[in-house]
Amino acid sequence: MSRKLTPMLQQYMEIKENTNDALVFYRLGDFYELFFEDAIVASKVLDLVLTGRSAGGEEKAPMCGVPHHAAENYIQKLVAAGYKVAVVEQVENPKDVKGIVKREVVEIVTPGTYFEMDENSTREIASIHADLVYATVVSCNLMTGSLKAIRVVNDPIEIIKVLQQFQVKEIVVDAEISQSLLEEIRSKTQIYISYEETLNQDVKHADRSIEIALRRLTQYLIYTHKRELTHLSDVVVLNDQSFLRMDYSSMTNLELIEHQKGKELTLYYHLNRTQTNMGSRLMKEVIMQPLVSVDAIKLRHQQIETLMNEYLMTDSLRSNLKQTYDIHRIVARLSTGKHSAQDFVRLKQTLMLFENIQKLVSDNELFEFMTQLDPLVPLYEELDRSIRDDAPVLLKEGRTFEKGIDAELDSLLDLSHNGKQWLLEYEAKQKELTGIKNLKVGYTRAFGYYIEISKGQVMNVRDDFGYIRKQTLTNAERYISAELQEYEVKISQASERILEIEQKLFDKYTQFVEGYSSAIHQIGDAIAYLDILLALTEISLLPGYQKPLITQEKTVNIKNGKHPVLEQTLINHQYIASDVDMSEARKTLILTGPNMGGKSTYMRMIALNVIMAQIGCYIPCESAEIGLVDQIFTRMGASDDILMGQSTFMVEMLEAQAALSKATESSLILFDEIGRGTSTYDGMALAQAIIEYINNSVKCRTVFSTHYHELVELESMYSGIKNVHVEVHEENDHVTFLYRVIDGRADKSYGINVARLAHLPQSILERATANLRRLELSKEHLNIGAEVIEVPIIPQEYHTVKSKLDRINVNELTPMEALILVSELKKDIGDDTHE
């Protein structure tokens, strides 16, 4: 087919063959054109008119195009729809080439590498390396340059949870990856899958699995950006104990970042009072990774208290922050070659404001994270001296750099901007030289610059004037001179030369600024952190918010605690506060009461207040003492989307298993209606066994809500278990929910009362009431047994080791893999000794 194509389309097809997984944006003049199948796809997604172009012979190639100056918007739409875009540009000057101009792919824009969308959104790209037991995920946020790694059990569901938690839009794998894993990712997520077989050998890491994933990821980033990226930070390994851990299911259940009914109902929306995009992005991380150090939380409390008390300073800090720019984004644009002169201007202004901020907090050691940084005064001064504040986004004829930066540029700018004045002075000079008073210097596009002398004065033109006759008119003669010709050449080449010089200067300053990339990034980190401190200060100043006492005890003691989001968003009625009293003697709370009574809200209230307390924020209550929580596990509502294809009951059991196998005595478990997905007897039997196991073996703080009222008997059987219920007022078969949790058991379920509130037909309500009375009289009363069962305490390490061994076919292990496995199993059981 290619032999029949025109030379231009032959070039297009050669490029397409090497980027067959991307739509090719092929630059032709002022347009990017797409051809053949790419044009058909793009025309549908972008709503463009599909036309045709001669392909050679009688064949017509389907074609559509977009203006180059508007390409960014079209690329954004394609990427948002899940496509890659290969941007093809001319790499030769057409003036220097006979025939077709050489073109190359200068960038491949992908769903995971595109950061020109919403500045507050999180778009990550990740690489996965899996062995027989583990999968290592290395994830990169290109805008911030951050890299993080986490290792999970090599199970598709666990891997997908991590990808969802990191908000990954694209993964990079090799051909050896498990196809069943890829099928699970394709069926359960919108994540784009890309392949990269080459590893970047320049990348090193102590952990071999992280190294392989990182090498593949960085090689892919070089391939897509056609350059090394200089702004990527060191990998942060997240498998340590440095923050409160929650998996994707828990974050979803607790509505931390996302909510089905709208983002305004999330904790992130409530807390995000930040002034900058950098602070807004950091707030997400802070919420998803609360602190687990008493000292770190107390330091944040001290910082917030200072900002609360020094309100004049706080106002000034907030005012300065509002005027800063997203310098993380600027560094990313520099690293990827997408920056403009305006990025230099914004960087300069932000550095100036940063110095102001440093001065405001200079006397307070609590803000060393800000004051200990180099304000980069030399960088600011050089940019201030060199770059005009009104510099254009695109380089345009001398409007980017200040005078005095380049002598030739200044001369050309004078020539270009003061051309009329030069011509007037030249004309006056020629009049004086010749004595011809009506001599004129003019210009036409066809003829160029000329000296015009009337017919009556031609005899006064002498040879020593250096004039050369070029054109005869009816009433005059036109001449040129060497000086005028030289000026014409200069002026015609000035614009082109100005752009050349500006491009060289722009590249020079790019290299200069890139040398400060790491230091600029640190300043961005400090601005973002100060921003979240100011946001948490604003929240902590809300009426009814109190500083929690953070301890190492196994307690959650909250007096009149409120759900922080609902308290702000409830319109129809006032939010009713409830106490939380959890301690060694009350570590397992069995929560009963009717649907709609507020059980799930109460459980979320506990978790959200713990999270807010451990990010250093004040919480809505009268008082609070919170013992550090290391992990939160939840099973609340229908968070089954990620595990579609599995029953609700299977999802319940998987999430319960995760909690039971991973929780420690410092963890918090919130289980809502575990066991409801199967029969009454099965469900109640499982619920009882799970409560007993958590209370007697895991021994962590737990709230277990249930409709199995028989389970309230467990309070009298085991120490540590206490009954609590949502308060209800009943009068003449009508119930009023009081939305408050108090000690004791609920009397009944009130299901028919809830149905009455939902306005079911009266005949159904009457029949249900009669049925209920008959069943209560006739059924054999369920008895959970008064015998106290000693639950065997099975070490969590046993579950971990057994799970790994169950996955392995020993006949497939190589000797090296067996040695690695033994080493991993020794770590799992806490034996780190070496022979």
Side-chain angles (χ1 to χ4, degrees):
M1 178 181 175
S2 62
R3 287 195 299 270
K4 299 178 183 178
L5 295 176
T6 63
M8 187 273 291
L9 283 178
Q10 282 186 33
Q11 183 188 63
Y12 173 86
M13 291 306 298
E14 288 170 5
I15 292 170
K16 178 64 182 173
E17 285 172 12
N18 294 320
T19 52
N20 55 18
D21 63 341
L23 303 175
V24 174
F25 265 43
Y26 183 88
R27 181 72 178 268
L28 274 177
D30 289 336
F31 280 81
Y32 286 108
E33 305 286 4
L34 299 98
F35 299 99
F36 299 111
E37 188 63 32
D38 285 6
I40 296 170
V41 171
S43 66
K44 291 177 181 176
V45 177
L46 302 176
D47 194 23
L48 298 174
V49 175
L50 191 65
T51 61
R53 184 186 183 100
S54 175
E58 297 181 0
E59 185 182 359
K60 285 269 189 181
M63 179 185 82
C64 66
V66 302
H68 79 94
H69 65 270
E72 201 69 56
N73 292 332
Y74 291 103
I75 291 173
Q76 179 173 327
K77 287 180 182 177
L78 288 169
V79 172
Y83 293 95
K84 290 183 179 180
V85 176
V87 180
V88 177
E89 299 281 3
Q90 295 178 355
V91 293
E92 291 180 319
N93 191 330
K95 295 179 181 178
D96 302 332
V97 180
K98 290 184 178 179
I100 192 162
V101 177
K102 184 178 180 182
R103 292 176 175 86
E104 291 180 355
V105 177
V106 296
E107 181 188 11
I108 299 176
V109 186
T110 76
T113 63
Y114 190 60
F115 56 82
E116 298 296 326
M117 292 188 178
D118 178 6
E119 294 179 343
N120 293 328
S121 65
T122 303
R123 302 182 70 81
E124 301 232 350
I125 181 170
S127 179
I128 303 171
H129 175 70
D131 56 31
L132 288 170
V133 179
Y134 290 115
T136 299
V137 179
V138 174
S139 180
C140 175
N141 183 320
L142 266 184
M143 188 185 294
T144 63
S146 63
L147 286 161
K148 50 184 174 284
I150 191 167
R151 180 170 293 136
V152 295
V153 174
N154 187 2
D155 175 81
I157 299 304
E158 294 302 315
I159 294 170
I160 290 174
K161 282 183 177 181
V162 168
L163 296 177
Q164 295 278 25
Q165 181 177 337
F166 287 173
Q167 298 178 286
V168 170
K169 305 297 181 186
E170 180 179 4
I171 58 168
V172 184
V173 297
D174 65 0
E176 300 299 316
I177 195 77
S178 162
Q179 292 305 304
S180 62
L181 169 62
L182 297 187
E183 287 171 13
E184 290 283 308
I185 292 173
R186 288 191 184 101
S187 66
K188 294 177 171 58
T189 75
Q190 299 294 316
I191 297 172
Y192 195 100
I193 299 170
S194 297
Y195 290 87
E196 178 59 66
E197 302 300 330
T198 308
L199 300 180
N200 182 358
Q201 299 299 326
D202 294 333
V203 171
K204 306 293 181 187
H205 196 278
D207 186 295
R208 179 62 178 164
S209 296
I210 292 176
E211 183 178 76
I212 293 173
L214 186 58
R215 283 179 167 181
R216 178 167 292 111
L217 180 58
T218 53
Q219 184 62 39
Y220 180 76
L221 293 176
I222 292 170
Y223 162 70
T224 55
H225 288 84
K226 308 304 176 186
R227 59 168 63 213
E228 296 275 356
L229 301 185
T230 58
H231 73 301
L232 301 184
S233 60
D234 293 334
V235 179
V236 176
V237 182
L238 297 182
N239 296 69
D240 59 12
Q241 313 289 313
S242 59
F243 57 87
L244 190 160
R245 282 160 289 157
M246 297 171 280
D247 64 14
Y248 177 75
S249 296
S250 294
M251 291 185 185
T252 303
N253 291 335
L254 295 175
E255 298 157 352
L256 299 185
I257 307 297
E258 298 173 349
H259 194 291
Q260 292 179 343
K261 294 183 179 179
K263 63 181 182 181
E264 67 276 0
L265 296 176
T266 63
L267 182 65
Y268 170 67
Y269 185 87
H270 174 59
L271 297 183
N272 188 28
R273 314 293 177 96
T274 56
Q275 309 296 320
T276 71
N277 291 323
M278 294 183 292
S280 182
R281 292 193 297 269
L282 181 60
M283 182 63 81
K284 275 188 185 177
E285 291 185 29
V286 166
I287 291 171
M288 292 191 289
Q289 297 179 5
L291 303 169
V292 287
S293 161
V294 172
D295 290 340
I297 296 170
K298 284 182 176 177
L299 172 60
R300 199 169 282 176
H301 281 163
Q302 290 174 316
Q303 291 166 333
I304 289 173
E305 284 173 339
T306 299
L307 294 171
M308 292 169 78
N309 295 328
E310 300 284 343
Y311 54 87
L312 291 178
M313 178 186 77
T314 299
D315 283 348
S316 296
L317 289 172
R318 193 173 280 116
S319 175
N320 276 278
L321 279 183
K322 281 181 180 178
Q323 300 173 68
T324 62
Y325 289 92
D326 189 345
I327 56 177
H328 281 163
R329 186 187 185 89
I330 290 172
V331 170
R333 289 171 64 85
L334 272 166
S335 182
T336 55
K338 296 177 180 177
H339 61 297
S340 70
Q342 267 302 308
D343 287 316
F344 292 148
V345 175
R346 290 166 182 164
L347 174 59
K348 175 187 75 171
Q349 293 176 354
T350 303
L351 291 176
M352 178 185 70
L353 291 162
F354 178 73
E355 194 173 9
N356 295 343
I357 291 169
Q358 280 188 315
K359 290 174 182 175
L360 286 168
V361 297
S362 60
D363 296 332
N364 197 317
E365 62 183 15
L366 292 172
F367 295 90
E368 283 184 352
F369 70 89
M370 183 70 68
T371 57
Q372 67 187 359
L373 294 179
D374 182 349
L376 306 184
V377 173
L379 174 59
Y380 165 78
E381 290 178 344
E382 182 59 28
L383 292 177
D384 191 45
R385 182 183 75 86
S386 308
I387 311 294
R388 290 176 53 160
D389 287 345
D390 62 347
V393 173
L394 300 175
L395 295 177
K396 288 182 182 176
E397 300 185 22
R399 285 183 43 220
T400 300
F401 296 95
E402 297 282 7
K403 281 190 174 181
I405 301 303
D406 186 280
E408 184 185 358
L409 178 62
D410 290 346
S411 174
L412 289 168
L413 288 173
D414 285 340
L415 182 67
S416 178
H417 296 162
N418 302 320
K420 184 176 283 188
Q421 183 63 33
W422 187 91
L423 289 173
L424 287 172
E425 291 175 358
Y426 181 75
E427 183 179 85
K429 184 176 162 185
Q430 297 310 306
K431 285 179 179 179
E432 184 178 347
L433 174 69
T434 62
I436 301 172
K437 301 302 181 185
N438 63 355
L439 177 151
K440 290 192 298 185
V441 175
Y443 171 84
T444 64
R445 182 171 295 181
F447 189 77
Y449 290 96
Y450 59 83
I451 300 166
E452 185 176 291
I453 298 175
S454 66
K455 290 280 189 182
Q457 296 292 329
V458 169
M459 75 286 294
N460 294 321
V461 176
R462 303 198 308 266
D463 291 344
D464 62 312
F465 292 165
Y467 294 173
I468 302 170
R469 192 189 304 264
K470 292 295 289 184
Q471 187 180 18
T472 300
L473 303 177
T474 304
N475 300 319
E477 296 284 347
R478 286 181 176 175
Y479 303 83
I480 59 171
S481 68
E483 191 176 3
L484 199 56
Q485 280 185 307
E486 184 182 340
Y487 175 79
E488 184 172 352
V489 171
K490 272 187 177 182
I491 205 74
S492 65
Q493 294 178 347
S495 295
E496 187 176 332
R497 181 58 182 155
I498 285 169
L499 286 176
E500 284 180 11
I501 295 172
E502 284 207 322
Q503 187 62 59
K504 285 183 179 178
L505 287 172
F506 186 74
D507 293 342
K508 170 189 168 186
Y509 278 93
T510 295
Q511 192 172 5
F512 172 67
V513 174
E514 278 187 324
Y516 290 90
S517 287
S518 178
I520 296 169
H521 215 281
Q522 290 177 14
I523 289 175
D525 290 343
I527 290 173
Y529 185 67
L530 178 64
D531 200 6
I532 66 123
L533 286 180
L534 287 166
L536 296 180
T537 300
E538 186 175 335
I539 293 293
S540 299
L541 283 167
L542 290 174
Y545 275 61
Q546 301 295 331
K547 182 174 73 173
L549 174 63
I550 307 297
T551 71
Q552 297 284 4
E553 303 297 322
K554 304 298 187 289
T555 62
V556 176
N557 195 321
I558 303 174
K559 185 71 172 173
N560 282 330
K562 296 181 179 180
H563 188 298
V565 180
L566 287 184
E567 185 199 15
Q568 298 293 315
T569 55
L570 278 179
I571 299 172
N572 295 330
H573 59 80
Q574 181 182 356
Y575 183 89
I576 307 300
S578 292
D579 294 345
V580 182
D581 184 4
M582 304 181 77
S583 61
E584 290 283 357
R586 296 169 57 98
K587 58 178 176 283
T588 305
L589 302 183
I590 297 178
L591 175 60
T592 52
N595 285 329
M596 295 174 56
K599 297 194 301 296
S600 296
T601 298
Y602 178 74
M603 296 167 79
R604 287 192 178 96
M605 180 271 285
I606 296 172
L608 294 183
N609 279 311
V610 166
I611 290 167
M612 285 177 62
Q614 290 192 210
I615 67 175
C617 189
Y618 288 26
I619 63 176
C621 63
E622 279 186 21
S623 65
E625 178 184 345
I626 294 175
L628 282 177
V629 172
D630 65 353
Q631 300 174 88
I632 295 178
F633 299 95
T634 68
R635 171 59 205 169
M636 304 170 69
S639 64
D640 308 347
D641 291 351
I642 191 172
L643 305 170
M644 67 181 80
Q646 293 175 322
S647 69
T648 299
F649 183 66
M650 174 58 82
V651 176
E652 284 185 1
M653 293 302 100
L654 286 170
E655 293 186 356
Q657 190 276 337
L660 299 178
S661 63
K662 296 176 183 176
T664 71
E665 289 188 15
S666 296
S667 300
L668 175 64
I669 293 178
L670 303 170
F671 280 169
D672 190 11
E673 308 289 352
I674 286 285
R676 63 185 168 174
T678 185
S679 72
T680 300
Y681 294 101
D682 266 358
M684 191 167 71
L686 276 167
Q688 179 185 348
I690 288 171
I691 292 172
E692 290 172 340
Y693 185 84
I694 292 174
N695 187 72
N696 298 344
S697 180
V698 181
K699 299 179 181 178
C700 70
R701 287 156 287 183
T702 303
V703 182
F704 194 106
S705 84
T706 182
H707 277 299
Y708 301 130
H709 284 239
E710 293 76 8
L711 295 178
V712 298
E713 301 297 335
L714 293 173
E715 179 186 70
S716 61
M717 296 165 58
Y718 298 101
S719 62
I721 297 180
K722 293 296 176 184
N723 291 320
V724 295
H725 70 282
V726 289
E727 195 173 8
V728 173
H729 176 69
E730 182 178 10
E731 187 174 344
N732 298 328
D733 288 333
H734 289 274
V735 297
T736 302
F737 298 125
L738 302 181
Y739 302 105
R740 184 170 61 185
V741 173
I742 59 176
D743 280 358
R745 64 176 69 181
D747 295 329
K748 54 184 180 180
S749 291
Y750 300 100
I752 295 175
N753 304 81
V754 174
R756 181 176 287 108
L757 290 175
H759 301 294
L760 262 65
Q762 186 62 32
S763 60
I764 292 178
L765 297 174
E766 290 173 357
R767 177 61 174 163
T769 302
N771 287 341
L772 179 61
R773 288 176 184 146
R774 178 172 52 81
L775 289 169
E776 286 177 339
L777 290 171
S778 64
K779 76 173 182 176
E780 179 178 343
H781 185 65
L782 291 173
N783 188 348
I784 67 170
E787 181 183 0
V788 176
I789 303 299
E790 287 295 326
V791 180
I793 300 176
I794 304 172
Q796 291 180 34
E797 293 83 358
Y798 170 83
H799 290 289
T800 304
V801 171
K802 185 176 185 302
S803 174
K804 290 177 183 176
L805 292 175
D806 287 344
R807 295 171 185 273
I808 291 172
N809 183 342
V810 293
N811 296 319
E812 295 178 355
L813 281 179
T814 65
M816 179 56 70
E817 288 173 337
L819 286 172
I820 293 171
L821 177 61
V822 170
S823 175
E824 293 286 356
L825 295 179
K826 289 184 72 176
K827 290 180 183 176
D828 288 333
I829 63 173
D831 182 2
D832 293 327
T833 58
H834 300 282
E835 297 296 332

